[in-house]
Amino acid sequence: MAQPDWDLETVSGDMSPIDENKKPETRVYQVLNQIPRGKVASYGQVAALAGMPSHSRLVGRILSNLPRGTRLPWHRVINSQGRITNPDPARQLARLEEEGITLIDGRVSLKTYGWQP
DNA sequence: TCCATGACACTAG
DNA sequence: CCTAGTGCCATGG
């Protein structure tokens, strides 16, 4: 089959509130789509907003399994210290800078770019 | 089943 | 502000 069975690759920003009934990945995807351009959120923040506090590591695992070519803004997720913990930091850094987010000493200022839902 | 690992968070010093 | 230690939880060997 040519297309993967991911149906949320192209979802737009106007998603409905988090659906508790759906799978964890789906809920995480919905949260990702809420993060506005030019802002960032921590793994723990995404987990909490997805309705599963204390599952920050799970969020990281889900992001690592995103299909190649996804349109989800995975690059807007960083750790609570403002650091990029992605195995391939160069790509994420490029994407963040593309949105006007600048890093200082390898760190994003959550005070400036942190997303406040 | 135990143990190690991981795109984490939080606190103490 | 930075590092270490500890807590967490899903996975995989």
Side-chain angles (χ1 to χ4, degrees):
Chain A
M1 56 189 219
Q3 287 292 43
D5 57 351
W6 300 90
D7 54 352
L8 288 167
E9 290 184 59
T10 59
V11 289
S12 45
D14 55 15
M15 296 285 294
S16 52
I18 308 306
D19 267 327
E20 285 291 333
N21 298 325
K22 301 201 173 188
K23 296 163 60 173
E25 304 109 280
T26 306
R27 302 210 299 261
V28 168
Y29 298 161
Q30 292 181 66
V31 173
L32 284 186
N33 277 302
Q34 312 301 307
I35 309 175
R37 186 185 165 76
K39 293 291 181 181
V40 296
S42 74
Y43 293 88
Q45 185 179 4
V46 172
L49 289 170
M52 36 186 198
S54 79
H55 284 64
S56 52
R57 307 192 84 128
L58 177 58
V59 171
R61 209 177 67 74
I62 290 173
L63 294 193
S64 72
N65 289 325
L66 286 178
R68 291 187 301 103
T70 181
R71 296 189 189 183
L72 292 170
W74 51 267
H75 56 284
R76 295 177 191 150
V77 183
I78 57 181
N79 75 10
S80 64
Q81 296 183 35
R83 292 185 176 288
I84 291 176
T85 43
N86 180 323
D88 179 15
R91 207 156 81 90
Q92 184 166 4
L93 174 61
R95 285 198 172 206
L96 289 176
E97 295 185 323
E98 204 170 341
E99 299 190 351
I101 296 176
T102 59
L103 279 73
I104 299 177
D105 287 326
R107 231 177 320 126
V108 174
S109 168
L110 294 178
K111 196 174 182 70
T112 303
Y113 303 107
W115 174 43
Q116 268 61 314

